[in-house]
Amino acid sequence: MNAPPTPGSGQRRFGWPRRVFSQVLLMQLAIITGVTILVTGLFLAPLSAQLDDQAMRRALAIAQTTAARPGIVKDLGTTAPSGHGPVQSAAEQVRRATGAEYVVVMDRRGVRWSHPDTHRIGAVVSTDPGRALSGREVMEIDSGTLGRSARGKVPLFDTSGEVAGAVSVGIAYDSVRARLLAAIPGLLAYAGGALAAGALAAYLISRRLQRQTHDLAFSDISALLTEREAMLHGIREGVVALDGAGRVRLLNDEAQRLLGVGPQAAGRPLEEVLGGGRTADVLAGRVVGDDLLAVRGSRVLLANRMPTDDGGAVVTLRDRTELEHLGRELDSTTGLIDALRAQDHEHANRLHTLLGLLELEMHEDAMEFITEVVGVHRATAEQVTEKVQDPLLAALLVGKATVAAERGVSLRLAPGTLLPDRVVDPRGLVTVVGNLVDNATDAAAGSDGARIEVALRAEGRTVILGVHDSGPGVPREQQASIFTEGWSTKDVPAHGRRGLGLALVRRLAERQGGSVTVSGADAGGAVFTVVLPEALAEPGPEGAAETVAGRPDSPPPLTPPAPTGEQR
């Protein structure tokens, strides 16, 4: 394989740079330069017109001042135009005092009575004086005998108000242009300063961008984004990214599936998306630790939270539902092995008893012994299947009764128990009953008269479940916390987690709009009560008749519920 080329090796190519830093810097410099040139041009364009206007107004003001001098009108009527006359003297005095290019006084015919060039006195002016001689003031840029100038013309009125002549004052246009050119260096200096400041700011911003983008090229960033999207949506772990304000920044497909939310959750606050509860607390960082357990719906999640530099966090979620089920099955299998070991001893004792009866030729007693042993188990199974008509739940109770018996705990159905075969979610109900019975077995084992009583009854489409054990019960101060994920009083099992059974029971009940509660019984122990609305399907005509016919007249009320062994 060929070694990858090292940076900077090979022929250097000139052109548009690839790095984000360089591209942004060049674009910013181009924008700043263009804006500076545009602003300078936009400033210079009106500056020329403004200087022209100022020159014309200055010429007009000088003309007005000259026309207001006493004796000008009188001298026009009493003297002849001359290079040494009073009108020429007064006009020259004004011209020298104001710096005007010329001050021309003319009569009603347009004949000059004053001019910087005395040879032109007595001749008609070179430009049309009609508007000034008609009584109007004039401002204009025009060319005459002295070249281009900014002009102001004012009429002269005699004592009767008639126009006796006019005064024309000119400002050399070269001086106006000189003022404009004189302003350009200063303007360019300011523009250059602004350009330098903008270039420095652009460089600093680009350097910051370079650090934040790790000096990557745009193509590299695009490739990284594509790879990130593929990775996030391809992995089998849920990923939730939060910003510093606690809003959801990103969820991959697996996180949406595990949390039961859609892509519209992005950009919304975490509490608004998930509501209250432990799952939201874990994701928000209010619960600290590694491999934190949370229950979302029917799923058991394992969460790890890593803060980010911007005050947010990235949370990874793993689905432990199947693992928890396997762990529970492992616990159940371990208990079943212990029960089978004990049952093996009991079975051996029964065989020895049977062998002894046969050796003593007590055949009738042997037959009665066998009938009694077999009949007890058959009677238990028949009793369960008669009152619990759902096959999955009935099989569960028969198996749990056998396991409980091997642990010295008697499991029986409460009087009035009757559950028709119309369960909408049998597996969910099996999970609820199995967890509660397992907890009750653990709690009742070793107590005096160890027993468990299970009550199941239907009210319309609602299923009411009660599990009563003879264990030590649940202290009142702990009754509110036993349904919290992770709460348990037992030793950690082989699969490494406890405190999920009752949390799952509560979530399954709440998912169906129901509830689970725990209380103490009058005779001691704990009682758990689970109410599951709409857990049964609507009965058909035949099913309704059977339900009415088989329902007891007054089913006994269920006592309130209590926590079971696994969660205590």
Side-chain angles (χ1 to χ4, degrees), residues 383-394:
Q383 180 189 30
V384 171
T385 55
E386 178 183 357
K387 294 185 176 182
V388 180
Q389 299 174 6
D390 182 82
L392 282 179
L393 193 56

Side-chain angles (χ1 to χ4, degrees), residues 336-350:
L336 182 60
I337 291 174
D338 294 338
L340 289 175
R341 187 179 295 112
Q343 193 174 28
D344 178 62
H345 289 290
E346 183 180 357
H347 183 64
N349 292 333
R350 289 173 180 172

Side-chain angles (χ1 to χ4, degrees), residues 253-306:
D253 297 341
E254 184 67 6
Q256 296 175 23
R257 185 183 71 86
L258 295 178
L259 298 176
V261 299
Q264 66 275 8
R268 296 165 55 192
L270 183 63
E271 284 72 14
E272 181 181 330
V273 174
L274 300 181
R278 178 178 171 85
T279 303
D281 293 340
V282 170
L283 266 64
R286 291 187 287 270
V287 180
V288 182
D290 297 329
D291 293 339
L292 297 173
L293 283 176
V295 178
R296 179 70 177 175
S298 61
R299 299 187 181 279
V300 180
L301 306 178
L302 193 67
N304 283 281
R305 189 176 190 274
M306 177 63 66

